Amino acid sequence: MEIKLVAGPFDQVQADALVAIVMEDSAAPAEVSGAASWLLDLRTSGEFTGKPGEIAILHQPKGLAAKRLVLVGGGKTGDKQHKFDAAALRRTVGGAVRTLKQKGIKTLAFLLNGFSGEAAVEGAMLGNYEPDQYKTSTDNKSLDVFCVIGPASLKDDVDRGRILGDAQNFTRDLVNEPGNKLTPTELARRAKEMADELRLDCEIMDQDRMRQLGMGSLLGVSQGSAEPPAFIVIRYKPTGAVTSKDHLALIGKGVTFDTGGISIKPSDSMEKMKYDMAGGAAVIGAMKAIGQLKPNIPVTAFIPAVENMPGGKAYRPGDILKSLDGKTIEVLNTDAEGRLILNDAITYARRMGCTHLVDAATLTGAIVVALGHVHIGAFTNNDAMLGRVMTAAKAEGEKMWHMPLDDDYKELLKSTFADLANIGGRYGGAISAAYFLKEFAGDTPWVHLDIAGTAWLDDAKPFMAKGPSGVGVRTFTKLALDWKS
Ligand code: BES
Ligand code: ZN
Ligand code: ZN
């Protein structure tokens, strides 16, 4: 989809639809005043009052070059609980795009009217996306052009929206790929292709290199698969003198398919486990945005990529693995594989000199039980670091909930035969998983984001298709862009 910014005049903009947001509790934008009596009729009949999700379409509007005038409800302006913020704008525009594209509308002009160009463009791009790459025929229709009507001074704002929208859809494409297509090798190839385009440094470590380094925990997981593992490292360095000593690491779980291994998962919904690399994909997508938006802090992405399979060479319950940092781990369940690849990635990131760590992982079913599909579970060993991540997440409308990580949880991971067990029993599963990772973060400020409940939509939303959500990309990018040492 092409993104444009035009200054107007709005009445001369050629488009299949000219879209304006109308709030429930305030007057319609001046530009639609030509349709004032129509709007009054709509409001008095109750057909369109400006509530979220409402839409009214007027064909051949008088005095407009556009073929249709479309009013979209935005809800209340000042309502404290439901503030019309960037997140609401993103949803409103996304919802309008999804409704209108199904009607065959190809070019849409949007009256920005003082709203954020960035959020409007993102909303349009996210709403236009369909996970239908593998359909040879489909009823899905899509927009060709999304044109923002607003002053030229908004160019950077609109550009940021385009870059972020594109990065999120890139992540969603990766997550949507099935396990037979997106192997660890293929994930690495796609990451490298993106990095090369943006002239970011990208290193793919192979199995031999990982063995040399001593990543026994990661290699234990991958040994059951016919697909070799890959450890993806993408480096962004600011141009010019870097004054800060800080170095941010973004670490993402990249299990391209999780069968559970020998502790095999039930077959119900197992097909969804292609999204077990959503953390890795979010990190790669964020690097795509970071490579273009160029924050002032060095950022390195680490994506351990493996496939978790049963088989004659697979690791078994009872096996003891030796991690890169030297700790031994007793495997009590081969389905708790995420923490086994992430601990080696965390240790490696620390060795590479990263001073602040964030990881994203579809780590546990338990976080879905705890928080449903609304909030990301956020865990930390450092409240200031969590504050930075939460501030970025809030600004970007990605909901997070601070979960506990007291030392009382440590005993859950006791093992008779090794330093740590890889599972912590039936209760508090998301916390014991996070605690396991904390053991490897040491004193480096670290935040762990469990995105198992938020990286995949089981049902479509009015503003977004079913399937991968692209969650994490916006928060990571914002975190890097707003970094203050
Ligand atoms: N990839 C899963 C977690 C998951 C579950 C992601 C549902 C998305 C949706 C992870 O590797 C896993 O299987 N975790 C186990 C841990 C258990 C064995 C301690 C789980 O959550 O059941
Ligand atoms: Zn698993
Ligand atoms: Zn997993």
Coordinates of all heavy atoms in Angstrom, one line a residue, residues 224-305:
G224 N 17.3 -32.6 18.6 CA 16.3 -33.5 18.1 C 15.8 -33.2 16.7 O 15.0 -33.9 16.1
S225 N 16.2 -32.0 16.2 CA 15.6 -31.6 14.9 C 16.6 -31.9 13.7 O 17.8 -31.8 13.9 CB 15.3 -30.1 14.9 OG 14.9 -29.6 13.6
A226 N 16.0 -32.2 12.6 CA 16.8 -32.4 11.4 C 17.3 -31.0 10.9 O 18.2 -30.9 10.1 CB 16.1 -33.1 10.3
E227 N 16.6 -30.0 11.3 CA 17.0 -28.6 10.9 C 18.0 -28.0 11.9 O 17.8 -28.0 13.1 CB 15.7 -27.7 11.0 CG 14.7 -28.0 10.0 CD 15.2 -27.7 8.5 OE1 16.1 -26.9 8.4 OE2 14.6 -28.3 7.6
P228 N 19.2 -27.6 11.3 CA 20.2 -27.0 12.2 C 19.8 -25.7 12.9 O 18.9 -25.0 12.3 CB 21.4 -26.8 11.2 CG 20.8 -26.7 9.9 CD 19.5 -27.6 9.9
P229 N 20.3 -25.4 14.0 CA 19.9 -24.2 14.7 C 20.7 -23.0 14.1 O 21.6 -23.2 13.3 CB 20.4 -24.4 16.1 CG 21.6 -25.3 16.0 CD 21.3 -26.2 14.8
A230 N 20.3 -21.8 14.4 CA 21.0 -20.6 13.9 C 20.9 -19.6 15.1 O 19.9 -19.5 15.7 CB 20.4 -20.0 12.7
F231 N 22.0 -18.9 15.3 CA 22.0 -17.8 16.3 C 22.2 -16.5 15.6 O 23.3 -16.3 15.0 CB 23.1 -18.1 17.4 CG 22.9 -17.3 18.6 CD1 22.5 -17.8 19.8 CD2 23.2 -15.9 18.6 CE1 22.4 -17.1 21.0 CE2 23.1 -15.1 19.7 CZ 22.6 -15.7 20.9
I232 N 21.2 -15.7 15.5 CA 21.2 -14.5 14.7 C 21.6 -13.3 15.6 O 21.0 -13.1 16.7 CB 19.8 -14.2 14.1 CG1 19.2 -15.5 13.4 CG2 19.7 -13.0 13.2 CD1 17.7 -15.5 13.1
V233 N 22.6 -12.5 15.1 CA 23.0 -11.3 15.8 C 22.9 -10.2 14.8 O 23.5 -10.2 13.7 CB 24.4 -11.4 16.4 CG1 24.8 -10.2 17.1 CG2 24.5 -12.7 17.3
I234 N 22.1 -9.1 15.1 CA 22.0 -8.0 14.3 C 22.5 -6.7 15.1 O 22.0 -6.5 16.2 CB 20.6 -7.7 13.8 CG1 20.0 -9.0 13.2 CG2 20.5 -6.6 12.8 CD1 18.5 -8.9 13.0
R235 N 23.4 -6.0 14.5 CA 23.9 -4.8 15.3 C 23.6 -3.5 14.6 O 23.8 -3.3 13.4 CB 25.5 -5.0 15.3 CG 25.9 -6.2 16.1 CD 27.5 -6.2 16.3 NE 27.9 -7.5 16.9 CZ 28.1 -8.6 16.2 NH1 28.1 -8.6 14.9 NH2 28.5 -9.7 16.8
Y236 N 23.1 -2.6 15.4 CA 22.9 -1.2 15.0 C 23.8 -0.3 15.8 O 23.9 -0.4 17.1 CB 21.4 -0.8 15.2 CG 21.3 0.7 15.2 CD1 21.2 1.4 14.0 CD2 21.3 1.4 16.4 CE1 21.2 2.8 14.0 CE2 21.2 2.8 16.4 CZ 21.2 3.5 15.2 OH 21.1 4.8 15.2
K237 N 24.6 0.5 15.1 CA 25.4 1.5 15.8 C 25.0 2.9 15.4 O 24.9 3.1 14.2 CB 26.9 1.2 15.5 CG 27.5 0.0 16.2 CD 29.0 0.1 16.2 CE 29.6 -1.2 16.7 NZ 29.4 -2.3 15.7
P238 N 24.9 3.8 16.3 CA 24.6 5.2 15.8 C 25.7 5.7 15.1 O 26.9 5.4 15.3 CB 24.4 5.9 17.1 CG 24.4 4.9 18.2 CD 25.0 3.7 17.7
T239 N 25.4 6.6 14.1 CA 26.5 7.3 13.4 C 27.0 8.4 14.3 O 26.3 9.0 15.1 CB 26.1 7.8 12.0 OG1 24.8 8.4 12.2 CG2 25.9 6.7 11.0
G240 N 28.3 8.8 14.1 CA 28.9 9.9 14.9 C 29.3 9.4 16.2 O 29.2 8.2 16.6
A241 N 29.8 10.3 17.1 CA 30.3 9.9 18.4 C 29.2 9.5 19.3 O 28.2 10.1 19.4 CB 31.0 11.1 19.0
V242 N 29.4 8.3 19.9 CA 28.4 7.8 20.9 C 28.9 8.3 22.3 O 30.0 7.9 22.7 CB 28.3 6.3 20.8 CG1 27.2 5.8 21.8 CG2 27.9 5.9 19.4
T243 N 28.1 9.0 22.9 CA 28.5 9.6 24.2 C 28.1 8.6 25.4 O 28.8 8.6 26.4 CB 27.9 10.9 24.5 OG1 26.5 10.8 24.2 CG2 28.5 12.0 23.6
S244 N 27.1 7.8 25.1 CA 26.6 6.9 26.2 C 27.4 5.6 26.3 O 27.9 5.1 25.3 CB 25.1 6.7 25.9 OG 24.7 5.5 26.6
K245 N 27.5 5.1 27.5 CA 28.1 3.8 27.7 C 27.1 2.7 27.6 O 27.4 1.5 27.7 CB 28.8 3.8 29.1 CG 30.1 4.6 29.2 CD 30.9 4.1 30.4 CE 32.2 4.9 30.6 NZ 31.9 6.3 31.0
D246 N 25.8 3.1 27.5 CA 24.8 2.1 27.5 C 24.7 1.4 26.2 O 25.0 1.9 25.1 CB 23.4 2.8 27.7 CG 23.3 3.4 29.1 OD1 24.2 3.1 30.0 OD2 22.4 4.1 29.4
H247 N 24.3 0.1 26.2 CA 24.2 -0.7 25.0 C 23.0 -1.6 25.2 O 23.1 -2.5 26.1 CB 25.5 -1.5 24.8 CG 25.6 -2.3 23.6 ND1 26.7 -2.9 23.1 CD2 24.6 -2.7 22.7 CE1 26.4 -3.6 22.0 NE2 25.2 -3.5 21.8
L248 N 22.0 -1.4 24.4 CA 20.8 -2.2 24.6 C 20.8 -3.5 23.9 O 21.1 -3.5 22.7 CB 19.6 -1.3 24.2 CG 18.2 -1.8 24.3 CD1 17.8 -2.1 25.7 CD2 17.2 -0.8 23.6
A249 N 20.4 -4.6 24.5 CA 20.2 -5.8 23.9 C 18.7 -6.2 23.8 O 18.0 -6.0 24.7 CB 20.9 -6.9 24.7
L250 N 18.3 -6.6 22.6 CA 16.9 -7.1 22.4 C 17.1 -8.6 22.1 O 17.8 -8.9 21.1 CB 16.3 -6.4 21.2 CG 16.1 -4.8 21.3 CD1 15.5 -4.3 20.0 CD2 15.3 -4.4 22.5
I251 N 16.5 -9.4 22.9 CA 16.6 -10.8 22.8 C 15.3 -11.5 22.5 O 14.3 -11.1 23.2 CB 17.2 -11.4 24.1 CG1 18.6 -10.7 24.4 CG2 17.4 -12.9 24.0 CD1 19.1 -11.0 25.8
G252 N 15.2 -12.3 21.5 CA 13.9 -12.9 21.1 C 13.9 -14.4 21.0 O 14.8 -14.9 20.3
K253 N 12.9 -15.0 21.6 CA 12.8 -16.5 21.4 C 12.5 -16.8 20.0 O 11.5 -16.4 19.4 CB 11.7 -17.0 22.4 CG 11.4 -18.5 22.2 CD 10.3 -19.0 23.2 CE 9.9 -20.5 22.9 NZ 8.9 -21.0 23.9
G254 N 13.3 -17.7 19.4 CA 13.0 -18.1 18.0 C 12.8 -19.6 17.8 O 13.6 -20.2 17.1
V255 N 11.8 -20.1 18.5 CA 11.5 -21.5 18.2 C 10.6 -21.6 17.0 O 9.4 -21.2 17.1 CB 10.9 -22.2 19.5 CG1 10.5 -23.6 19.2 CG2 11.9 -22.2 20.7
T256 N 11.1 -22.1 15.9 CA 10.3 -22.0 14.7 C 9.2 -22.9 14.6 O 8.2 -22.7 13.9 CB 11.2 -22.2 13.4 OG1 11.9 -23.4 13.5 CG2 12.3 -21.1 13.3
F257 N 9.3 -24.0 15.4 CA 8.1 -24.9 15.7 C 8.4 -25.6 17.0 O 9.5 -26.2 17.2 CB 7.8 -25.9 14.6 CG 6.4 -26.4 14.8 CD1 5.3 -25.7 14.4 CD2 6.2 -27.7 15.3 CE1 4.0 -26.2 14.6 CE2 4.9 -28.2 15.6 CZ 3.8 -27.4 15.2
D258 N 7.4 -25.6 17.9 CA 7.5 -26.2 19.2 C 6.5 -27.4 19.3 O 5.3 -27.2 19.6 CB 7.2 -25.2 20.3 CG 7.4 -25.8 21.7 OD1 7.9 -26.9 21.8 OD2 7.0 -25.1 22.7
T259 N 7.0 -28.6 19.1 CA 6.2 -29.8 19.3 C 6.1 -30.2 20.7 O 5.2 -31.0 21.1 CB 6.8 -31.0 18.6 OG1 8.0 -31.3 19.2 CG2 7.0 -30.8 17.1
G260 N 7.0 -29.6 21.5 CA 7.1 -30.0 22.9 C 8.3 -31.0 23.1 O 8.8 -31.3 24.2
G261 N 8.8 -31.6 22.0 CA 9.8 -32.6 22.1 C 9.3 -33.9 22.6 O 8.1 -34.2 22.4
I262 N 10.1 -34.6 23.4 CA 9.7 -35.9 23.9 C 8.6 -35.7 24.9 O 7.6 -36.5 24.9 CB 10.9 -36.6 24.7 CG1 12.1 -36.9 23.6 CG2 10.5 -37.9 25.4 CD1 11.7 -37.9 22.6
S263 N 8.5 -34.6 25.6 CA 7.3 -34.3 26.4 C 6.3 -33.6 25.5 O 5.9 -32.5 25.6 CB 7.7 -33.3 27.5 OG 8.9 -33.6 28.2
I264 N 5.9 -34.5 24.6 CA 5.1 -33.9 23.4 C 3.8 -33.2 23.8 O 3.2 -33.7 24.7 CB 4.9 -35.0 22.3 CG1 4.6 -34.4 21.0 CG2 3.9 -36.0 22.8 CD1 4.9 -35.4 19.8
K265 N 3.5 -32.2 23.1 CA 2.2 -31.4 23.3 C 1.0 -32.2 22.8 O 1.2 -33.0 21.9 CB 2.3 -30.1 22.6 CG 3.2 -29.1 23.1 CD 3.1 -27.8 22.3 CE 4.0 -26.7 22.8 NZ 3.6 -26.2 24.2
P266 N -0.1 -32.0 23.4 CA -1.4 -32.6 22.8 C -1.5 -32.0 21.4 O -1.1 -30.9 21.1 CB -2.5 -32.1 23.7 CG -1.8 -31.4 24.8 CD -0.4 -31.2 24.5
S267 N -2.2 -32.8 20.5 CA -2.3 -32.4 19.1 C -3.2 -31.2 18.9 O -3.1 -30.5 18.0 CB -2.6 -33.5 18.2 OG -3.8 -34.2 18.7
D268 N -4.2 -31.1 19.8 CA -5.1 -29.9 19.7 C -4.4 -28.6 19.7 O -3.7 -28.3 20.6 CB -6.1 -29.9 21.0 CG -7.4 -30.6 20.6 OD1 -7.5 -31.1 19.5 OD2 -8.3 -30.5 21.5
S269 N -4.6 -27.8 18.6 CA -3.9 -26.5 18.5 C -2.4 -26.6 18.4 O -1.8 -25.5 18.4 CB -4.3 -25.6 19.7 OG -5.6 -25.4 19.8
M270 N -1.9 -27.7 18.2 CA -0.4 -27.7 18.1 C 0.1 -26.9 16.9 O 1.2 -26.3 16.9 CB 0.2 -29.2 18.0 CG 1.7 -29.2 18.3 SD 2.5 -30.6 17.6 CE 2.4 -31.8 18.9
E271 N -0.8 -26.8 15.9 CA -0.4 -26.1 14.7 C -0.1 -24.6 15.0 O 0.7 -24.0 14.3 CB -1.6 -26.1 13.6 CG -2.8 -25.3 13.9 CD -3.8 -25.9 14.9 OE1 -3.5 -27.1 15.3 OE2 -4.7 -25.3 15.3
K272 N -0.6 -24.1 16.1 CA -0.3 -22.7 16.4 C 1.1 -22.5 16.9 O 1.6 -21.4 16.9 CB -1.3 -22.3 17.6 CG -2.5 -21.6 17.1 CD -3.4 -21.2 18.2 CE -2.9 -20.2 19.2 NZ -3.8 -19.9 20.3
M273 N 1.8 -23.6 17.2 CA 3.1 -23.5 17.7 C 4.2 -23.0 16.7 O 5.4 -22.9 16.9 CB 3.6 -24.7 18.4 CG 3.0 -24.8 19.8 SD 3.5 -23.4 20.8 CE 1.9 -22.7 21.2
K274 N 3.7 -22.7 15.5 CA 4.5 -22.0 14.5 C 4.8 -20.5 15.0 O 5.7 -19.9 14.6 CB 3.9 -22.0 13.1 CG 2.6 -21.1 13.0 CD 2.1 -21.0 11.6 CE 1.0 -20.0 11.5 NZ 0.5 -19.9 10.1
Y275 N 4.0 -20.1 15.9 CA 4.2 -18.7 16.4 C 5.1 -18.6 17.6 O 5.3 -17.6 18.2 CB 2.9 -18.0 16.6 CG 2.2 -18.0 18.0 CD1 2.4 -17.0 18.9 CD2 1.3 -19.0 18.3 CE1 1.8 -17.0 20.2 CE2 0.6 -19.0 19.6 CZ 0.9 -18.0 20.5 OH 0.3 -18.0 21.7
D276 N 5.8 -19.7 17.9 CA 6.7 -19.7 19.0 C 8.0 -19.0 18.7 O 8.9 -19.0 19.6 CB 7.0 -21.2 19.4 CG 7.2 -21.3 20.9 OD1 6.8 -20.4 21.7 OD2 7.8 -22.4 21.3
M277 N 8.1 -18.4 17.6 CA 9.2 -17.5 17.3 C 8.8 -16.0 17.2 O 9.5 -15.2 16.7 CB 9.9 -17.9 16.0 CG 9.0 -18.4 14.8 SD 7.8 -17.3 14.3 CE 8.8 -16.1 13.5
A278 N 7.6 -15.7 17.8 CA 7.1 -14.4 17.7 C 8.0 -13.3 18.4 O 8.1 -12.2 18.0 CB 5.7 -14.3 18.2
G279 N 8.6 -13.8 19.5 CA 9.6 -12.9 20.2 C 10.7 -12.5 19.3 O 11.1 -11.3 19.2
G280 N 11.3 -13.5 18.7 CA 12.4 -13.3 17.7 C 12.0 -12.4 16.6 O 12.7 -11.5 16.2
A281 N 10.8 -12.7 16.1 CA 10.3 -11.9 14.9 C 10.1 -10.4 15.3 O 10.3 -9.5 14.5 CB 9.0 -12.5 14.4
A282 N 9.6 -10.2 16.6 CA 9.4 -8.9 17.0 C 10.7 -8.1 17.1 O 10.8 -6.9 16.8 CB 8.7 -8.9 18.4
V283 N 11.7 -8.8 17.6 CA 13.0 -8.2 17.7 C 13.6 -7.9 16.3 O 14.2 -6.8 16.1 CB 14.0 -9.1 18.5 CG1 15.4 -8.8 18.3 CG2 13.6 -9.2 19.9
I284 N 13.4 -8.8 15.4 CA 13.9 -8.5 14.0 C 13.1 -7.3 13.4 O 13.7 -6.5 12.7 CB 13.8 -9.8 13.1 CG1 14.7 -10.9 13.7 CG2 14.2 -9.5 11.7 CD1 14.4 -12.3 13.1
G285 N 11.8 -7.3 13.6 CA 11.0 -6.2 13.1 C 11.4 -4.9 13.7 O 11.5 -3.9 13.0
A286 N 11.7 -4.9 15.0 CA 12.1 -3.7 15.7 C 13.5 -3.2 15.1 O 13.7 -2.0 14.9 CB 12.3 -3.9 17.2
M287 N 14.4 -4.1 14.8 CA 15.6 -3.7 14.2 C 15.4 -3.1 12.8 O 16.2 -2.2 12.4 CB 16.6 -4.9 14.1 CG 17.1 -5.4 15.4 SD 17.8 -4.2 16.5 CE 19.5 -4.0 15.8
K288 N 14.4 -3.6 12.1 CA 14.1 -3.0 10.8 C 13.7 -1.5 11.0 O 14.1 -0.6 10.2 CB 13.0 -3.7 10.1 CG 12.7 -3.3 8.7 CD 11.8 -4.2 7.9 CE 11.9 -3.8 6.4 NZ 10.8 -4.2 5.7
A289 N 12.9 -1.2 12.0 CA 12.5 0.2 12.3 C 13.7 1.0 12.8 O 13.9 2.1 12.4 CB 11.3 0.2 13.3
I290 N 14.4 0.4 13.7 CA 15.6 1.1 14.4 C 16.6 1.4 13.3 O 17.2 2.5 13.4 CB 16.1 0.2 15.5 CG1 15.2 0.2 16.7 CG2 17.6 0.6 15.9 CD1 15.5 -0.8 17.8
G291 N 16.8 0.5 12.4 CA 17.8 0.8 11.3 C 17.4 2.0 10.5 O 18.3 2.6 9.8
Q292 N 16.2 2.4 10.5 CA 15.7 3.5 9.7 C 15.5 4.8 10.5 O 15.8 5.9 10.1 CB 14.4 3.2 9.0 CG 14.6 2.1 7.9 CD 13.2 1.6 7.4 OE1 12.6 2.2 6.6 NE2 12.8 0.5 8.0
L293 N 15.1 4.6 11.8 CA 14.8 5.7 12.6 C 16.0 6.2 13.4 O 16.0 7.3 14.0 CB 13.6 5.4 13.5 CG 12.3 5.2 12.8 CD1 11.2 4.6 13.7 CD2 11.8 6.4 12.1
K294 N 17.0 5.4 13.5 CA 18.4 5.7 14.0 C 18.4 6.4 15.4 O 18.7 7.6 15.5 CB 19.1 6.6 12.9 CG 19.2 6.0 11.6 CD 20.1 6.7 10.7 CE 20.1 6.2 9.2 NZ 20.4 4.8 9.1
P295 N 18.1 5.6 16.4 CA 18.3 6.2 17.8 C 19.7 6.4 18.1 O 20.6 6.0 17.4 CB 17.7 5.0 18.6 CG 17.8 3.8 17.8 CD 17.7 4.2 16.4
N296 N 19.9 7.0 19.3 CA 21.3 7.4 19.7 C 22.0 6.4 20.5 O 23.1 6.6 20.9 CB 21.2 8.7 20.6 CG 21.2 9.9 19.7 OD1 21.9 10.0 18.7 ND2 20.3 10.9 20.1
I297 N 21.5 5.2 20.7 CA 22.1 4.2 21.5 C 22.4 3.0 20.6 O 21.6 2.6 19.8 CB 21.1 3.9 22.7 CG1 21.8 2.8 23.6 CG2 19.8 3.4 22.2 CD1 20.9 2.3 24.7
P298 N 23.5 2.3 20.9 CA 23.8 1.1 20.2 C 22.8 0.0 20.6 O 22.5 -0.1 21.8 CB 25.2 0.7 20.6 CG 25.7 1.8 21.4 CD 24.6 2.7 21.8
V299 N 22.2 -0.7 19.6 CA 21.3 -1.8 19.9 C 21.7 -3.0 19.2 O 22.0 -3.0 18.0 CB 19.8 -1.4 19.4 CG1 18.8 -2.5 19.8 CG2 19.4 0.0 19.9
T300 N 21.8 -4.1 19.9 CA 22.1 -5.4 19.3 C 21.0 -6.4 19.6 O 20.5 -6.5 20.7 CB 23.4 -6.0 19.8 OG1 24.4 -5.0 19.6 CG2 23.8 -7.2 19.1
A301 N 20.6 -7.1 18.5 CA 19.5 -8.1 18.6 C 20.1 -9.5 18.6 O 21.1 -9.7 17.9 CB 18.6 -7.9 17.4
F302 N 19.6 -10.3 19.5 CA 20.1 -11.7 19.6 C 18.9 -12.6 19.5 O 17.9 -12.5 20.3 CB 20.7 -12.0 21.0 CG 21.9 -11.0 21.2 CD1 21.7 -9.8 21.9 CD2 23.2 -11.4 20.9 CE1 22.8 -9.0 22.1 CE2 24.3 -10.6 21.2 CZ 24.1 -9.3 21.8
I303 N 18.9 -13.5 18.4 CA 17.7 -14.4 18.3 C 18.3 -15.8 18.1 O 18.8 -16.2 17.1 CB 16.9 -14.0 17.0 CG1 16.4 -12.6 17.1 CG2 15.7 -15.0 16.8 CD1 17.2 -11.6 16.3
P304 N 18.1 -16.6 19.3 CA 18.5 -18.0 19.2 C 17.3 -18.7 18.5 O 16.2 -18.6 18.9 CB 18.5 -18.4 20.6 CG 17.7 -17.4 21.4 CD 17.6 -16.2 20.6
A305 N 17.6 -19.4 17.3 CA 16.6 -20.0 16.5 C 16.8 -21.5 16.5 O 17.9 -22.0 16.1 CB 16.5 -19.4 15.1

